[in-house]
Amino acid sequence: MADYSGFIERVSSATREFNKSAAASACGELITRIQTDDEPAPAPAIATILSALRNKRYFDLMERVADAAIQSGQNDPHVRRQYAQGLIDQGRITAALNVLASLETDTGENGALTDPSENAEA
């Protein structure tokens, strides 16, 4: 699995300092990395980064990072929910509803990714 710890540190540091330009720069490099890796972006690392971005209300960056992770093949329910939250907080309700409907189905009792907690969130 690819090591994303440097990105976690850079984004976390930038968000702690309320430095959106540094966070955007780190996220841009992260997205490039995600797009060039042969494997899906690692869900734990992406979830940590998305959380840091959400805590500072950098919803546009959340959306971009989560979108890149999902496009890389990452299907983690938490990442998908964070993507939907980023969309909602930017007023992109229709797109978010589509993501959440799919997530609800996938995490439901008969879904491929059964997860009661994420299902309830969706």
Side-chain angles (χ1 to χ4, degrees):
M1 181 191 306
D3 181 17
Y4 280 62
S5 60
F7 290 111
I8 293 170
E9 179 51 40
R10 287 179 59 202
V11 171
S12 296
S13 176
T15 57
R16 277 193 306 271
E17 297 168 6
F18 290 92
N19 187 342
K20 187 169 183 182
S21 64
S25 176
C27 287
E29 291 176 35
L30 169 61
I31 290 166
T32 298
R33 168 76 179 274
I34 290 170
Q35 292 170 337
T36 58
D37 275 355
D38 293 333
E39 302 174 355
I46 298 302
T48 299
I49 290 167
L50 293 174
S51 179
L53 295 169
R54 186 187 68 242
N55 288 341
K56 295 303 186 257
R57 304 181 56 82
Y58 296 163
F59 302 122
D60 57 328
L61 298 178
M62 263 181 80
E63 176 191 354
R64 290 178 51 220
V65 169
D67 185 59
I70 292 166
Q71 286 186 40
S72 79
Q74 183 49 258
N75 196 31
D76 181 75
H78 184 78
V79 171
R80 291 168 57 197
R81 180 173 49 82
Q82 293 292 356
Y83 177 53
Q85 287 181 336
L87 290 168
I88 289 167
D89 288 320
Q90 294 180 90
R92 296 181 176 152
I93 306 304
T94 303
L97 287 173
N98 288 328
V99 172
L100 291 171
S102 172
L103 183 59
E104 182 180 23
T105 299
D106 291 348
T107 59
E109 191 172 303
N110 297 318
L113 304 169
T114 303
D115 184 329
S117 176
E118 288 298 335
N119 185 262
E121 289 286 336

